[in-house]
Amino acid sequence: MLNNILLLLGITLMYSTPLVFGALGGVISERSGVVNIGIEGMMTIGALAAVAGSYFTGNPWVGFIAAGAAGGLFAVLHALAAVTFKADQNVSGIALNLLGPGIALFLARLMWGGGTQSPTITTLPKLFGSGAFQGTPWANLNVDITVVLGLAATLIVWFVLYKTKWGLRVRAVGEHPAAADTLGINVSRIRFICVVLSGILAGFGGASITLAIISQFTQTAVAGQGFIALAAVIFGKWTPHGAYGACLLFGMAQALVVILGGGAIAVPSQILAILPYALTLVVLVLFVGKAVAPKADGVPYEKGSRG
């Protein structure tokens, strides 16, 4: 019984971690008033950068840092469009979701001789699976170091948003940007920084997939995880801790796919494949009407306006 519980927990944590980073990016961006549905594209760019960094240096930590940098640079495009040029934020996000996979596949073909699948790379270390834990039930809790990093990132984002002056400013520009402007807060600068930070976190989310779960870049590496992360933002009511809990729920859905797929009960593979996405739709249908976004979320701010 303990083996099964620890196995379920370990797989849940593994699959929830990429969602956690993506959702935290969504929380930061939308708390500042910028809708970021381009998380999927940013995660894809990060997933490729992580593999490239690890492949060419032999150090997965270099790949992890490269993923954050790539995601942040890609997010600059969204910040320029949505914040600087006041473009429609949804359209900009959709454009990033189209550009991200396209650029990633193009670069993958350049780096690996025309193929869209990278060689297997050196991955980040795991916890509990070796040493004193080997041969014990705790070996089933063989989670990646990214799980710890995801939890740490959640605590840091929560602390910054709710316990620091800068976090208060972020929440202010997301709720009442005109009032924040009258107090001397640079609304555009805060929003620009938050969008770039969301890209960095999304890049880390992509790295959590390719440096931990599958150990290589493939065309379907991200496969909708960015959209599930956005659902976690809504389900978590735009809070870091709420988003983290929602990611655990979605991660458990994917863990059940793995466990039921290899279990004694015959469950059609088609049903298992759609389980995480079906759960996402159910959550959105049931909770999206009850969740209240920041008042200025998705509304471009013009200096001197009442928005």
Side-chain angles (χ1 to χ4, degrees), residues 3-302:
N3 287 337
N4 292 332
I5 293 175
L6 291 176
L7 181 61
L8 177 63
L9 179 59
I11 299 175
T12 296
L13 291 172
M14 178 180 69
Y15 280 113
S16 65
T17 300
L19 303 178
V20 167
F21 282 113
L24 290 177
V27 168
I28 289 178
S29 180
E30 300 208 16
R31 273 293 185 177
S32 72
V34 180
V35 172
N36 188 359
I37 63 174
I39 295 293
E40 176 88 2
M42 297 172 191
M43 288 181 70
T44 305
I45 290 293
L48 175 71
V51 172
S54 180
Y55 177 76
F56 289 111
T57 67
N59 189 333
W61 289 110
V62 173
F64 190 77
I65 295 172
L73 287 174
F74 198 58
V76 169
L77 297 176
H78 186 47
L80 287 172
V83 179
T84 304
F85 297 111
K86 310 293 188 300
D88 187 291
Q89 297 171 10
N90 292 316
V91 173
S92 175
I94 292 171
L96 291 186
N97 287 335
L98 295 174
L99 281 174
I103 293 174
L105 291 177
F106 174 73
L107 293 177
R109 288 192 175 97
L110 288 180
M111 287 186 285
W112 295 298
T116 59
Q117 180 170 309
S118 74
T120 302
I121 56 167
T122 304
T123 58
L124 293 170
K126 293 181 178 290
L127 306 176
F128 301 110
S130 60
F133 299 100
Q134 195 166 9
T136 68
W138 292 97
N140 290 311
L141 195 63
N142 189 19
V143 297
D144 304 283
I145 192 67
T146 52
V147 172
V148 178
L149 296 177
L151 177 59
T154 303
L155 296 175
I156 292 171
V157 171
W158 176 87
F159 181 82
V160 170
L161 281 179
Y162 297 105
K163 300 296 181 180
T164 67
K165 183 184 294 186
W166 192 79
L168 178 60
R169 291 179 176 179
V170 170
R171 289 183 287 129
V173 301
E175 294 286 348
H176 302 288
D181 193 9
T182 60
L183 295 175
I185 297 173
N186 191 320
V187 175
S188 295
R189 180 186 300 168
I190 292 288
R191 288 184 169 184
F192 199 103
I193 292 173
C194 286
V195 172
V196 173
L197 287 175
S198 75
I200 293 173
L201 287 166
F204 289 154
S208 298
I209 297 174
T210 53
L211 290 180
I213 299 177
I214 62 176
S215 70
Q216 62 180 175
F217 177 80
T218 66
Q219 187 172 356
T220 57
V222 178
Q225 298 299 295
F227 297 111
I228 297 179
L230 289 176
V233 173
I234 298 172
F235 188 33
K237 297 182 178 179
W238 290 268
T239 64
H241 49 287
Y244 186 86
C247 290
L248 289 179
L249 175 64
F250 294 132
M252 182 177 290
Q254 292 181 309
L256 289 174
V257 171
V258 175
I259 292 175
L260 292 176
I265 302 175
V267 180
S269 59
Q270 293 85 353
I271 294 178
L272 293 176
I274 67 171
L275 181 59
Y277 307 101
L279 179 61
T280 303
L281 291 174
V282 170
V283 166
L284 287 175
V285 169
L286 294 179
F287 293 95
V288 71
K290 300 177 183 178
V292 180
K295 292 182 180 179
D297 192 21
V299 181
Y301 177 67
E302 296 282 355

